[in-house]
Amino acid sequence: MSRKLVFSIVFACISNFILCQSQVSGTIIDPQNQPIELASVVLLNPKDSTVVNYSITDNKGHFKIIEPKQGPLLFQASSLGFNKTTELFG
């Protein structure tokens, strides 16, 4: 039985004018609202699915990832035993 990977993303857009980057942070949770430790969080280029940046969740399911200002990106979250989730944002 496959389990759904539920994620909540808190877009903490912290402007960094020097590097033209933002920070995306959030929490990856399961359907019972329990944090998922060591989930992979990846930002992908929607044109060719190349990896732009990535992170791994901590023991509370939290992640922080730098988002370069380059237009829309795919946000992908995955963890062993869960279905991969991909969303377009930006």
Side-chain angles (χ1 to χ4, degrees):
M1 174 189 224
S2 66
R3 300 178 345 191
K4 266 186 160 177
L5 178 67
V6 180
F7 61 90
S8 66
I9 304 173
V10 177
F11 291 100
C13 294
I14 301 170
S15 295
N16 185 334
F17 296 106
I18 297 171
L19 298 176
C20 296
Q21 297 177 339
S22 296
Q23 177 176 289
V24 178
S25 62
T27 303
I28 305 296
I29 56 173
D30 67 14
Q32 288 76 39
N33 289 326
Q34 297 301 307
I36 300 176
E37 184 176 2
L38 302 175
S40 298
V41 179
V42 183
L43 294 178
L44 303 165
N45 183 328
K47 294 178 184 175
D48 58 9
S49 296
T50 54
V51 174
V52 175
N53 210 342
Y54 66 94
S55 183
I56 302 292
T57 58
D58 63 15
N59 62 342
K60 295 181 182 176
H62 299 297
F63 69 90
K64 290 181 185 175
I65 190 167
I66 299 297
E67 171 206 355
K69 293 286 187 182
Q70 66 177 48
L73 294 170
L74 291 173
F75 174 89
Q76 187 175 81
S78 62
S79 185
L80 191 61
F82 293 91
N83 292 334
K84 187 184 303 181
T85 302
T86 305
E87 297 288 331
L88 182 65
F89 80 97

